[in-house]
C-alpha cells in the first residue's frame, strides 16, 4: 500500500531548487489521460461551506474557510498532493539547528492590491495571530516561537528581520519539523491594509495566492464565494482554469444531487447516504483514497479497571476484539481504511509494520485470553461504553464496534450517545466523562509529529486521556530534535511502538477522502488534506 | 376597527417577551460548551476560552444574558454570530428568501386546494372526489423530507426539469421545486377543509334561496358558496404560514436554500444563542402578525365579526 516517495521534511528543505520542481511535477500526473484540452478561462465550481469566521488566516480553523484561504493566499511553502513540500513564497528555508531557522523569500511577489510581499508581512501577520488580546483561534500555531505567551500580550521576539526579504525564526524549544508546518494557513502573510481594519479585511481579504475575489461582495454569505485567477500570481500553483466558484452547501446530500445533475463540477465529500452507490454513479470519476484523518476511541486512565497492568491487558483485549476490516467494509462501504498505526498513510513515515501492530488485528481468541488475565487481577464489573456525539453520524460504527466487543469478550458493551458535539467535548474537556469516548485527529500539516505530540505527550493540549509515558516523551523529543528526516521518522515510529503497548487511544481506521467530479472537468487530484488541488482542474471542451 | 387593531398589536408585546424569555431559557439550558466545540477535537487554551466566553456573556447567569439580549433588541442590536456578523444582517439576508418560498408554497397549495376541494365537494362521492382523497392521504402520509428527496432525485436529477438545489439563485423563479414540495406538504389539509366547508355551505338555506330566485349556477357557486366557504380557509392560512416558516428548516436544508430555516439549523448545531433566539423570535413575531392580518381579513369576509368587534 505504501507509496514510495522522497522523504522530505525539515532539513530536506535545504534543497530548495529540487523542491520547487517536485511541486510543479505533481501537477501533471493526475488520473485522467486527457491533459491536452481544457479552457484556461473557464470557471470551475466546487463545494464548500460558509466559513465560520471572518476570513483571517490566523482565525480560521475549519475546512470551510480554510479551503478559501488556501486558494487566495500563498505561504512560504506549499504541499503537493502526496504531502511532500515545495517552496512557494520562500526561496530558501534553512534549518540552522532544531531551534533556529532562516527564511529567504522571493523578491518581486505582490499582494493583489499591489503591495510587495516582504519579510515584514510575515512578521506582522504572525505577531497579530499570536497576540493574546487578538483572540485568534489558531494562535497556538505560534506557541513554539520565542516570546509567545497565552496569558499576556507579548511580542514574538523570536522573529527578526534581516533585510526586506530575509528573516530568522528562533524557537523556544526544538521543533525540527517547524519548516514543514509553514504551509498551513495560520502562517500566511498579510498586506499592510489588513491591520487598518481587520474586520473589513476578513470580509474582503486580499491575498497573494493563485486566486483572488472576483470583486467586492464576492463572498455572498451562506451562498458562496467567487474566485478568479490572480493575474500577478507568480508561483508554482499557476491555475489551469479561469477561476473557482465555491458553492456553500449546508448538507452534502444537496451537493451530491447537484453533482449528479451536472450543476457542480467537483465534490470533495460524498454524503453517507450515497456511499453504496457513488462508485457506480460516478464510475472512474469517483475518488476514494486514505486521507490524513485518524479515528480512534480514548479510554481515560482514571477510569476504574483501566490503569496499570490490568488496564493494559484490557486495552489490548478490547483492541483485538474489534473486527476493523468488517466494520470498514460493512458500515462504511470501504470508505475507511483499517488503522495500522497512530498516523495516516498519506504522511511520510507511516508504517504498517510497527512492532506490536498486531494488537490492531482482529484476534478473538487472544482477546478473550487477555481479558481473562485481567479478570484474574481484578474481576470486571459493569458495562463498557463508548461515548459519541449523535449529531455527527457516529452511531452506526459505534454500535458495530461495541457489538464486536460484546460478542468477542462476552461483556456488556454499548454506545453512549450525546446529543451534540459541544456537549461531548464539554465533558471530555472538564474530565467528567466516565466512559471511553470517540476521538479523531485531522493533521494540520503532513508530518508524523503532528499526530503524536499534541495528543499523547505528557500534559499536551489535546491529550484527552491524560496519558503520560516517559519512554514515549523521550522518543518524541528526540524525534523533534533530529534534523535528519529519516532519523526523526524512525524515532517517531519508536514512540508509536510505545503507544501500541499502552494504547492510550485505540486506533480504529483512517478516514478516506471520498469525493468525485462531473464529466465536465479533468485533472482532478485531491491533496493530502482531502481538498482538491483547484489550480490543476481543467474544464473539458 | 382601529382600536381592535391596536389592541391586537398591544397583545403581541407580552407574547413577544414571554416567547423570547422561554426560548432563551431553552437555548441556555442546552448542555455543552459551545466555545470549546469551536476548536473541534483540539483543546483550546483556557485563557482564550475565558475571553471568548466573556465576549458572548456566556460566563454570566442566565437572566443577565437575557437582559443583555433584550436591551440590545431595543437598539436593534440582535447580537453577533460566532462568525462576527450582526445577527440582524443575517436576518435581513435570509428572511426575504424564506418569505418568497413561503408565499409561493401558500399560493401553490391554496390554488390547488381550492380548485380541487371545490370540485370534490360539487361531485361528492364520485370518482374524482375519491381519487383526490387518496392523493391527499398520500401527501399527508409522506414526511416532508421524503417528499423533498423524491422530488429532488426524480424531477431534478433524473428528469432535469428543475435544478436540484437553489443556492445563489434564489429569486422567485428559482424556488419552484422547494415551493412545490412545501406547497404539497400542506396541500392535503387545506383541500379537505375546502371540500367539507363547501359541502356544508351547499346545504345552507341561502344557497337554496339563491337557486330558487333563479340565479344561475355560475353565479351561485363563486359568489354565494365559495365566498362563504373561504372563511375557515383564511383561519387555516395563518396556521399554514406558521407551519411553512418552520417546515422550511427541513426543505431549505435539502434544497440548499439560503433562508432562515437553513441558517437556524446551522446556528442550533453551533449553539449560537443570539442567532437561535433572534430567529425563533422572528418566527414568533411573524406568526403573531400573520394571525392579526388573518383576523382582519376574516372581518372583511364576514361582516358579522367586524360589527361585533367594533
Amino acid at each position: 500500500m505504501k507509496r514510495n516517495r522522497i522523504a522530505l521534511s525539515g532539513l530536506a528543505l535545504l534543497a530548495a531548487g529540487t523542491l520547487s520542481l517536485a511541486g510543479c511535477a505533481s501537477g501533471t500526473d493526475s488520473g485522467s489521460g486527457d491533459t491536452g484540452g481544457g479552457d484556461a478561462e473557464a470557471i470551475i465550481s466546487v463545494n464548500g461551506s460558509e466559513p465560520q469566521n471572518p476570513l483571517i488566516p490566523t482565525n480560521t480553523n475549519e475546512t470551510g474557510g480554510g479551503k478559501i484561504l488556501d486558494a487566495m493566499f500563498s505561504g512560504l511553502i506549499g504541499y503537493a498532493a502526496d504531502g511532500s513540500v515545495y517552496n512557494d513564497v520562500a526561496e530558501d528555508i534553512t534549518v540552522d539547528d532544531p531551534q533556529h531557522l532562516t527564511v529567504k523569500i522571493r523578491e518581486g511577489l505582490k499582494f493583489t492590491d499591489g503591495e510587495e510581499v516582504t519579510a515584514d508581512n510575515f512578521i506582522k501577520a504572525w505577531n497579530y495571530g499570536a497576540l493574546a488580546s487578538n483572540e485568534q483561534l489558531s494562535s497556538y500555531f505560534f506557541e513554539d516561537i520565542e516570546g509567545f505567551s497565552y496569558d499576556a500580550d507579548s511580542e514574538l521576539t523570536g522573529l527578526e528581520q534581516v533585510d526586506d526579504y530575509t528573516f530568522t525564526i528562533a524557537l523556544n524549544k526544538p521543533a525540527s519539523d517547524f519548516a514543514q508546518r509553514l504551509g498551513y494557513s495560520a502562517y500566511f502573510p498579510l498586506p499592510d491594509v489588513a491591520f487598518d481594519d481587520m474586520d473589513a479585511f476578513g470580509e474582503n481579504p486580499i491575498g497573494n495566492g493563485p486566486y483572488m475575489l472576483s470583486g467586492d461582495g464576492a463572498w455572498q454569505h451562506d451562498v458562496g464565494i467567487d474566485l478568479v485567477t490572480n493575474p500577478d500570481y507568480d508561483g508554482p500553483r499557476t491555475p489551469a482554469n479561469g477561476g473557482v466558484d465555491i458553492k456553500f452547501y449546508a448538507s452534502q446530500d444537496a451537493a451530491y444531487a447537484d453533482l449528479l445533475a451536472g450543476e457542480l463540477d467537483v465534490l470533495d465529500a460524498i454524503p453517507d447516504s450515497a456511499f453504496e452507490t457513488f462508485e457506480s454513479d460516478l464510475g472512474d470519476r469517483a475518488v476514494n483514497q486514505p486521507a490524513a484523518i485518524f479515528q480512534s476511541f480514548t479510554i481515560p486512565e482514571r477510569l476504574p479497571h483501566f490503569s496499570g497492568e490490568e488496564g493494559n491487558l484490557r486495552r489490548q483485549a478490547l483492541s483485538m476484539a474489534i473486527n476493523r476490516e468488517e466494520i470498514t467494509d460493512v458500515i462504511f462501504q470501504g470508505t475507511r481504511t483499517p488503522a495500522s498505526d497512530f498516523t495516516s498513510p498519506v504522511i511520510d513515515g507511516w508504517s504498517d509494520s510497527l512492532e506490536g501492530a498486531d494488537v490492531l488485528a482482529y484476534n478473538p481468541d487472544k482477546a478473550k485470553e487477555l481479558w481473562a488475565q485481567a479478570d484474574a487481577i481484578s474481576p470486571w464489573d459493569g458495562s463498557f461504553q463508548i461515548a459519541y456525539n449523535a449529531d455527527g453520524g457516529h452511531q452506526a460504527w459505534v454500535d458495530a464496534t461495541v457489538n464486536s466487543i460484546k460478542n468477542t469478550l462476552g461483556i456488556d458493551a454499548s454506545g453512549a450517545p450525546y446529543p451534540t458535539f459541544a456537549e461531548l467535548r464539554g465533558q471530555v474537556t472538564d474530565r467528567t466523562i466516565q466512559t471511553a469516548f470517540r476521538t479523531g485527529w485531522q493533521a494540520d500539516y503532513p508530518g508524523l509529529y503532528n499526530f503524536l505530540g499534541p495528543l499523547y505527550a505528557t500534559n499536551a493540549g489535546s491529550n484527552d486521556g491524560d496519558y503520560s509515558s516517559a519512554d514515549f516523551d523521550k522518543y518524541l523529543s528526540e524525534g523533534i530534535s533530529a534534523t535528519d528526516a529519516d532519523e526523526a521518522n524512525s524515532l517517531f515510529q519508536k514512540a508509536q511502538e510505545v503507544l501500541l503497548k499502552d494504547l492510550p487511544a485505540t486506533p480504529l481506521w483512517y478516514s478516506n477522502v471520498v469525493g468525485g467530479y462531473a464529466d465536465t472537468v479533468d485533472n482532478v487530484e485531491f491533496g493530502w488534506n482531502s481538498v482538491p488541488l483547484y489550480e490543476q482542474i481543467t474544464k473539458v471542451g | 376597527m382601529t382600536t381592535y387593531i391596536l389592541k391586537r398589536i398591544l397583545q403581541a408585546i407580552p407574547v413577544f417577551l414571554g416567547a423570547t424569555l422561554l426560548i432563551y431559557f431553552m437555548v441556555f439550558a442546552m448542555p455543552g460548551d459551545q466555545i470549546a466545540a469551536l476548536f473541534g477535537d483540539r483543546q483550546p487554551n483556557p485563557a482564550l476560552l475565558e475571553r471568548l466566553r466573556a465576549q458572548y456573556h456566556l460566563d454570566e447567569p442566565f437572566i443577565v444574558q437575557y437582559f443583555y439580549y433584550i436591551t440590545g433588541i431595543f437598539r436593534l442590536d440582535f447580537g453577533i454570530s460566532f462568525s462576527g456578523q450582526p445577527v440582524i444582517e443575517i436576518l435581513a439576508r435570509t428572511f426575504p428568501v424564506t418569505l418568497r418560498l413561503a408565499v409561493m408554497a401558500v399560493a401553490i397549495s391554496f390554488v390547488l386546494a381550492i380548485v380541487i376541494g371545490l370540485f370534490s365537494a360539487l361531485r361528492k362521492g364520485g370518482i374524482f372526489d375519491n381519487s383526490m382523497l387518496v392523493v391527499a392521504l398520500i401527501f399527508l402520509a409522506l414526511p416532508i423530507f421524503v417528499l423533498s428527496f423524491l422530488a429532488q432525485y426524480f424531477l431534478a436529477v433524473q428528469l432535469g426539469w428543475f435544478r436540484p438545489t437553489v443556492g445563489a439563485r434564489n429569486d422567485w423563479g428559482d424556488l419552484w421545486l422547494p415551493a412545490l414540495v412545501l406547497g404539497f406538504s400542506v396541500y392535503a389539509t387545506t383541500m379537505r377543509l375546502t371540500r367539507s366547508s363547501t359541502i356544508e355551505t351547499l346545504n345552507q338555506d341561502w344557497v337554496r334561496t339563491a337557486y330558487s330566485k333563479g340565479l344561475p349556477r355560475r353565479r351561485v357557486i363563486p359568489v354565494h358558496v365559495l365566498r362563504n366557504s373561504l372563511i375557515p380557509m383564511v383561519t387555516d392560512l395563518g396556521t399554514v404560514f406558521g407551519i411553512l416558516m418552520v417546515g422550511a428548516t427541513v426543505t431549505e436544508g435539502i434544497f440548499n436554500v439560503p433562508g432562515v430555516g437553513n441558517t437556524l439549523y446551522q446556528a442550533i448545531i453551533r449553539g449560537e444563542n443570539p442567532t437561535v433566539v433572534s430567529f425563533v423570535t422572528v418566527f414568533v413575531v411573524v406568526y403573531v402578525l400573520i394571525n392579526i392580518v388573518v383576523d382582519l381579513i376574516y372581518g372583511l369576509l364576514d361582516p358579522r365579526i367586524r360589527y361585533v368587534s367594533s
Side-chain angles (χ1 to χ4, degrees):
Chain A
M1 280 289 283
K2 187 183 171 191
R3 278 174 285 168
N4 271 323
R5 73 180 84 89
I6 311 157
L8 291 170
S9 88
L11 255 204
L13 276 162
L14 284 168
T18 50
L19 291 179
S20 313
L21 283 175
C24 296
S26 74
T28 55
D29 57 9
S30 86
S32 126
D34 173 22
T35 48
D39 180 356
E41 297 299 309
I43 307 274
I44 55 162
S45 61
V46 303
N47 70 302
S49 57
E50 169 78 6
Q52 290 177 17
N53 300 291
L55 287 170
I56 300 164
T58 48
N59 202 34
T60 297
N61 65 347
E62 41 82 44
T63 48
K67 260 182 214 183
I68 302 168
L69 287 172
D70 284 345
M72 293 185 64
F73 284 86
S74 273
L76 292 168
I77 59 166
Y79 302 114
D82 63 359
S84 62
V85 290
Y86 56 84
N87 283 333
D88 195 335
V89 173
E91 189 173 291
D92 186 34
I93 301 175
T94 319
V95 182
D96 304 318
D97 65 57
Q99 275 181 264
H100 291 89
L101 298 94
T102 305
V103 179
K104 178 140 184 46
I105 64 176
R106 284 192 286 145
E107 295 183 25
L109 297 176
K110 279 186 195 141
F111 288 99
T112 50
D113 66 346
E115 186 189 336
E116 198 186 358
V117 182
T118 62
D120 201 42
N121 296 106
F122 285 94
I123 295 173
K124 275 166 82 175
W126 296 6
N127 265 303
Y128 178 86
L131 201 71
S133 59
N134 287 337
E135 295 173 349
Q136 300 290 291
L137 294 175
S138 296
S139 62
Y140 61 90
F141 276 95
F142 306 100
E143 68 185 0
D144 287 350
I145 300 175
E146 255 179 32
F148 180 86
S149 164
Y150 277 120
D151 310 310
D153 280 356
S154 154
E155 198 197 333
L156 295 177
T157 48
L159 299 180
E160 223 170 295
Q161 182 169 355
V162 176
D163 60 49
D164 274 0
Y165 305 102
T166 314
F167 66 104
T168 58
I169 308 169
L171 304 177
N172 52 32
K173 64 171 193 257
S176 59
D177 71 347
F178 195 80
Q180 202 184 357
R181 304 176 194 176
L182 296 174
Y184 186 72
S185 53
Y187 299 107
F188 288 156
L190 289 177
D192 285 343
V193 61
F195 302 100
D196 298 341
D197 183 349
M198 199 52 92
D199 290 340
F201 182 79
E203 278 294 305
N204 285 297
I206 293 161
N208 62 329
Y211 296 99
M212 58 186 194
L213 296 179
S214 65
D216 261 1
W219 177 7
Q220 277 183 277
H221 288 282
D222 298 320
V223 169
I225 193 161
D226 292 347
L227 304 177
V228 294
T229 49
N230 168 10
D232 293 334
Y233 176 74
D234 168 28
R237 290 197 288 158
T238 307
N241 47 52
V244 183
D245 277 359
I246 303 179
K247 300 181 176 183
F248 299 158
Y249 292 95
S251 90
Q252 292 167 6
D253 286 290
Y256 188 63
D258 263 1
L259 181 75
L260 291 183
E263 295 279 321
L264 183 74
D265 290 331
V266 186
L267 175 65
D268 62 15
I270 302 283
D272 302 1
S273 57
F275 275 179
E276 238 171 302
T277 54
F278 84 100
E279 277 169 329
S280 58
D281 283 346
L282 297 173
D284 56 2
R285 288 178 283 111
V287 176
N288 185 5
Q289 61 196 46
I293 302 172
F294 168 80
Q295 305 275 3
S296 57
F297 64 82
T298 297
I299 311 174
E301 219 147 327
R302 61 190 156 75
L303 296 189
H305 298 295
F306 282 106
S307 56
E309 173 67 16
E310 183 205 350
N312 210 304
L313 291 165
R314 293 205 191 281
R315 286 165 194 273
Q316 300 198 1
L318 286 169
S319 177
M320 288 186 184
I322 301 165
N323 193 340
R324 294 172 178 76
E325 293 281 348
E326 192 177 280
I327 296 172
T328 50
D329 240 34
V330 175
I331 306 284
F332 292 116
Q333 306 283 338
T335 60
R336 300 285 188 280
T337 308
S340 53
D341 77 338
F342 287 80
T343 62
S344 157
V346 295
I347 307 298
D348 186 52
W350 171 83
S351 164
D352 59 357
S353 50
L354 295 176
E355 194 189 312
D358 52 339
V359 75
L360 305 180
Y362 181 53
N363 188 345
D365 296 333
K366 189 81 189 292
K368 271 181 241 168
E369 194 186 310
L370 293 169
W371 194 261
Q373 284 177 27
D375 276 346
I377 300 174
S378 162
W380 171 257
D381 54 350
S383 149
F384 178 75
Q385 288 197 302
I386 300 177
Y388 63 94
N389 48 311
D391 62 355
H394 297 292
Q395 190 192 351
W397 74 257
V398 171
D399 285 352
T401 305
V402 293
N403 274 334
S404 193
I405 290 171
K406 186 156 63 177
N407 295 338
T408 309
L409 300 178
I411 59 168
D412 186 29
S414 59
Y418 283 65
T420 60
F421 181 66
E423 191 180 354
L424 176 66
R425 283 314 295 178
Q427 291 212 3
V428 169
T429 312
D430 65 16
R431 302 289 190 259
T432 53
I433 195 158
Q434 292 306 323
T435 62
F437 49 88
R438 63 153 285 265
T439 38
W441 191 259
Q442 174 157 24
D444 300 311
Y445 61 95
L448 288 187
Y449 179 80
N450 187 242
F451 282 92
L452 303 174
L455 291 166
Y456 313 111
T458 304
N459 294 328
S462 298
N463 189 342
D464 292 331
D466 292 325
Y467 173 69
S468 174
S469 155
D471 282 350
F472 175 79
D473 288 351
K474 183 176 73 92
Y475 286 128
L476 196 69
S477 72
E478 280 174 18
I480 201 64
S481 308
T483 43
D484 176 77
D486 289 335
E487 191 194 335
N489 280 344
S490 81
L491 285 159
F492 291 141
Q493 289 174 356
K494 281 218 175 66
Q496 287 194 72
E497 287 171 356
V498 178
L499 295 182
L500 284 167
K501 274 197 225 111
D502 296 346
L503 292 176
T506 309
L508 293 170
W509 34 76
Y510 315 113
S511 286
N512 287 12
V513 45
V514 186
Y517 46 99
D519 52 13
T520 47
V521 285
D522 246 329
N523 298 317
V524 180
E525 191 179 17
F526 281 67
W528 74 277
N529 61 352
S530 314
V531 178
L533 302 172
Y534 297 143
E535 64 276 3
Q536 297 181 11
I537 300 171
T538 51
K539 198 104 177 176
V540 178
Chain B
M1 197 71 179
T2 328
T3 43
Y4 173 64
I5 298 173
L6 267 178
K7 219 158 69 184
R8 289 302 312 265
I9 290 173
L10 284 178
Q11 276 169 1
I13 292 174
V15 173
F16 170 78
L17 284 178
T20 48
L21 185 70
L22 208 66
I23 298 157
Y24 211 99
F25 178 71
M26 287 192 286
V27 175
F28 180 84
M30 271 197 330
D33 187 339
Q34 317 303 345
I35 298 290
L38 276 183
F39 292 82
D41 280 318
R42 221 173 282 277
Q43 287 266 356
N45 171 261
L48 176 59
L49 273 187
E50 282 315 305
R51 276 197 299 270
L52 283 172
R53 283 206 189 94
Q55 189 186 328
Y56 292 100
H57 305 300
L58 293 175
D59 50 351
E60 314 252 24
F62 158 68
I63 203 72
V64 179
Q65 286 189 38
Y66 179 71
F67 176 77
Y68 276 118
Y69 176 76
I70 206 75
T71 48
I73 282 187
F74 290 112
R75 287 176 275 118
L76 275 184
D77 169 13
F78 284 75
I80 304 276
S81 77
F82 285 169
S83 61
Q85 291 178 75
V87 172
I88 191 144
E89 274 180 26
I90 305 181
L91 267 173
R93 190 173 67 233
T94 53
F95 196 73
V97 181
T98 302
L99 196 66
R100 274 200 285 274
L101 185 59
V103 167
M104 282 176 77
V106 165
I108 291 169
S109 146
F110 267 64
V111 168
L112 280 175
I114 288 172
V115 171
I116 294 175
L118 186 68
F119 279 101
S120 280
L122 293 175
R123 292 168 177 72
K124 191 173 66 155
I127 297 174
F128 180 79
D129 185 23
N130 280 327
S131 51
M132 280 304 119
L133 173 64
V134 173
V135 172
L137 284 177
I138 291 174
F139 281 122
L140 208 58
L142 273 181
I144 187 159
F145 73 91
V146 175
L147 199 59
S148 303
F149 277 125
L150 288 177
Q152 188 178 52
Y153 187 73
F154 288 106
L155 301 184
V157 175
Q158 290 298 320
L159 295 170
W161 293 351
F162 300 93
R163 290 202 183 95
T165 66
V166 175
R169 311 162 304 254
N170 50 48
D171 259 333
W172 292 97
D174 305 309
L175 291 166
W176 274 109
L177 192 56
L180 276 171
V181 168
L182 270 177
F184 275 102
S185 74
V186 290
Y187 152 81
T189 338
T190 319
M191 192 279 270
R192 296 303 289 172
L193 200 65
T194 317
R195 179 183 173 276
S196 54
S197 128
T198 311
I199 289 173
E200 205 187 310
T201 320
L202 282 171
N203 292 327
Q204 297 291 334
D205 292 343
W206 75 75
V207 177
R208 219 174 320 129
T209 314
Y211 276 124
S212 61
K213 278 198 298 183
L215 286 177
R217 198 177 151 88
R218 62 184 154 75
R219 176 138 180 93
V220 176
I221 300 291
V223 177
H224 295 260
V225 178
L226 195 56
R227 178 173 162 155
N228 285 292
S229 311
L230 277 182
I231 294 173
M233 318 290 307
V234 171
T235 342
D236 185 47
L237 184 74
T239 329
V240 165
F241 241 102
I243 295 172
L244 284 182
M245 298 298 282
V246 179
T249 314
V250 176
T251 327
E252 287 185 358
I254 293 169
F255 293 103
N256 206 42
V257 181
V260 281
N262 216 341
T263 317
L264 177 65
Y265 175 74
Q266 300 288 322
I268 292 174
I269 296 272
R270 272 183 239 154
E272 292 190 8
N273 297 12
T275 318
V276 175
V277 180
S278 304
F279 272 66
V280 181
T281 306
V282 170
F283 282 153
V284 173
V285 171
V286 169
Y287 197 78
V288 169
L289 282 180
I290 285 178
N291 276 293
I292 293 176
V293 171
V294 163
D295 286 355
L296 297 179
I297 298 177
Y298 209 106
L300 289 177
L301 281 174
D302 190 342
R304 283 171 300 176
I305 295 163
R306 192 166 38 196
Y307 297 135
V308 169
S309 55
S310 60

